[in-house]
Amino acid sequence: MTSSLSTEDIPSARFGLADQLAWLRRMRERGEVHVDAFGNHHVFSFADVERVTKDPATFSSNPSHVLPADVPNMTEGMMLVTDPPQHGKLRRLAAQAFTPRKMRDLVPRVAEIAGELLDRAPAGGFDAVEHFTVDLPAIMIAELFGIPAADAGAFRTLVEQIMDIEPPNLKDSAAVRAAADNALGGPFLELMGYLLQLCARRRAESAPGLINDLVHAELDGQRLTDPEIASLAVQILQAGHLTTAAVLGHALVLLAEHPLAQAAIRTDRSLIPGAVEEVLRCRPPSTRLQRYTTADTEIAGHPIPAGAVVVPWMLSANHDDAVFAEPDTFDIHRGPNRHLTFGHGIHFCLGATLARVEVAGALNALLDRIPEWTVDDVVEYRESHLLFAPKRVPLVVSTTTNDRRDPA
């Protein structure tokens, strides 16, 4: 079945997810595909979201299937929006620099950076976004890439500007063309130019870092080109920086709202990985994706033509009570936890292990230094197509903690 809605009908998550989660629940209960004012097809159930994200042959990640013919595809060559077989080559080569072992080897450095940031934060309370959640992954990803410390601030600003860009209605040729023109003259092009220069320097002289690893990665005699590396790096910088910061910010808010859970992980640090997974399920940093149909198809009995935009909602799938018992309850003991926050299928997030390492390390550092934290005032959120994240997390830090022995 199908129903129509306008984009304004989607409740804002600016002050939290309560209204949006209630709206998504109604969409799932109706079992319909919803078409918005732009003609995009929204899907909500876990089964439908999983199906869309694991079938790249029908639901492509490449927007060229819907872009007007006379508009350049600014994402051409990016692994995130390529389909097989090109996607397989890019991912296998990139994966050599992102092995789970390499990511786990970063644990001591995560702890060191997190500790230094917390030691410099104002005593008694501070905005965690300003002093902690954004800086930690920004420093980590810059070091990981081998970006010189003197350039780290500039690269962080460019990544933030790119994440603020809202995609146009892809069926509106004028809007898409204007967006492409803005990108060519804006932060995307500047960041790509910087990364291409860094690739050239690493080909001439090796130095530690992922850019160097990617420049020299080889599979069956094939190597990545500099434009491929730069495109891949832009995606990893976005995913490894602001999305990880978003997850960490959400973790601080959820653990402040659930003091028994905070007390439980303080007592038993082995609960931290499960707590991180539950944060990822409840508060995905990207609430929805976009896919593009390559042929006529259907979802839930609703026909979808070729060349259509399909919007799978991971936030909705993660709260589907057909898969998760009491889905609106934050439960750090939940298991199994089959959330779709990192995607599914061939586009499963390459940096998932890195994000988990950073958030777990940050929580350990917080628990080592802060007896208990709460959040003062209403948390305001940044909501865009690419990112859902706290704008501010005003932590109130106590010097003593109450004795809470009940399980979370």
Side-chain angles (χ1 to χ4, degrees):
M1 296 179 64
T2 308
S3 69
S4 295
L5 56 107
S6 69
T7 52
E8 289 76 22
D9 288 329
I10 301 174
S12 170
R14 182 180 175 187
F15 294 107
L17 287 177
D19 291 341
Q20 199 167 91
L21 287 174
W23 178 78
L24 292 170
R25 187 185 310 113
R26 292 196 298 274
M27 300 301 104
R28 290 194 304 273
E29 289 171 351
R30 293 174 185 172
E32 300 170 335
V33 171
H34 296 265
V35 182
D36 66 25
F38 293 149
N40 301 328
H41 302 255
H42 296 247
V43 296
F44 304 98
S45 74
F46 186 98
D48 288 341
V49 171
E50 185 179 45
R51 177 192 162 196
V52 168
T53 54
K54 75 177 183 181
D55 181 7
T58 306
F59 303 99
S60 171
S61 297
N62 192 335
S64 64
H65 293 287
V66 299
L67 284 174
D70 61 340
V71 175
N73 182 3
M74 295 300 300
T75 61
E76 189 68 41
M78 287 191 174
M79 185 178 68
L80 187 64
V81 295
T82 56
D83 297 322
Q86 183 186 13
H87 177 272
K89 170 202 169 185
L90 292 172
R91 188 172 182 100
R92 287 194 300 273
L93 285 165
Q96 296 179 40
F98 273 85
T99 65
R101 179 177 179 178
K102 286 183 178 179
M103 298 302 99
R104 287 192 292 268
D105 286 345
L106 297 173
V107 169
R109 182 57 179 150
V110 171
E112 183 179 9
I113 296 171
E116 291 172 354
L117 290 172
L118 290 171
D119 290 344
R120 293 201 299 266
F126 55 92
D127 175 13
V129 173
E130 178 182 356
H131 294 281
F132 187 57
T133 65
V134 174
D135 285 340
L136 173 61
I139 294 169
M140 283 299 305
I141 203 71
E143 291 186 358
L144 195 61
F145 269 82
I147 293 173
D151 297 342
F155 115 78
R156 169 179 163 176
T157 298
L158 290 173
V159 170
E160 290 177 347
Q161 290 172 346
I162 291 170
M163 292 294 277
D164 279 335
I165 297 174
E166 285 292 331
N169 173 14
L170 296 180
K171 299 299 180 68
D172 184 335
S173 298
V176 174
R177 193 174 298 107
D181 291 342
N182 288 337
L184 283 170
F188 178 81
L189 186 64
E190 187 174 346
L191 184 57
M192 283 289 289
Y194 173 83
L195 291 167
L196 286 169
Q197 292 178 0
L198 190 57
C199 287
R201 283 154 55 188
R202 292 298 173 258
R203 289 195 188 279
E205 183 178 357
S206 294
L210 281 178
I211 290 291
N212 187 81
D213 293 346
L214 291 169
V215 162
H216 296 97
E218 185 173 321
L219 182 69
D220 298 330
Q222 289 187 309
R223 289 189 175 185
L224 293 168
T225 66
D226 286 359
E228 287 174 331
I229 293 170
S231 294
L232 178 62
V234 168
Q235 299 167 72
I236 297 171
L237 287 169
Q238 291 174 343
H241 176 200
L242 291 184
T243 54
T244 301
V247 175
L248 181 52
H250 289 312
L252 297 183
V253 173
L254 282 167
L255 290 169
E257 293 174 347
H258 297 83
L260 294 181
Q262 186 182 147
I265 65 171
R266 188 181 304 281
T267 301
D268 182 359
R269 301 293 179 90
S270 71
L271 296 175
I272 288 179
V276 173
E277 295 307 307
E278 185 68 344
V279 171
L280 288 163
R281 183 191 72 84
C282 291
R283 301 289 186 270
S286 296
T287 56
R288 58 197 183 273
L289 301 173
Q290 283 195 168
R291 293 291 186 264
Y292 315 98
T293 52
T294 61
D296 292 348
T297 187
E298 62 79 30
I299 299 176
H302 166 67
I304 300 178
V309 177
V310 176
V311 182
W313 281 77
M314 289 96 70
L315 176 64
S316 181
N318 287 354
H319 287 78
D320 189 341
D321 60 7
V323 177
F324 303 99
E326 299 184 18
D328 293 339
T329 299
F330 178 68
D331 179 7
I332 65 172
H333 302 285
R334 187 182 298 276
N337 197 338
R338 296 173 53 208
H339 65 77
L340 297 180
T341 294
F342 286 130
H344 188 78
I346 65 170
H347 288 290
F348 184 82
C349 179
L350 191 65
T353 300
L354 175 60
R356 286 168 167 140
V357 164
E358 289 185 343
V359 176
L363 289 177
N364 268 305
L366 280 156
L367 295 168
D368 286 342
R369 287 165 172 77
I370 299 175
E372 185 179 31
W373 69 84
T374 57
V375 173
D376 182 33
D377 206 357
V378 175
V379 176
E380 185 175 349
Y381 292 87
R382 169 184 186 174
E383 183 186 20
S384 70
H385 177 74
L386 292 173
L387 189 68
F388 170 62
K391 286 184 177 180
R392 292 180 63 251
V393 180
L395 290 188
V396 177
V397 177
S398 67
T399 56
T400 60
T401 183
N402 296 327
D403 184 14
R404 291 186 174 93
R405 301 185 183 276
D406 295 335

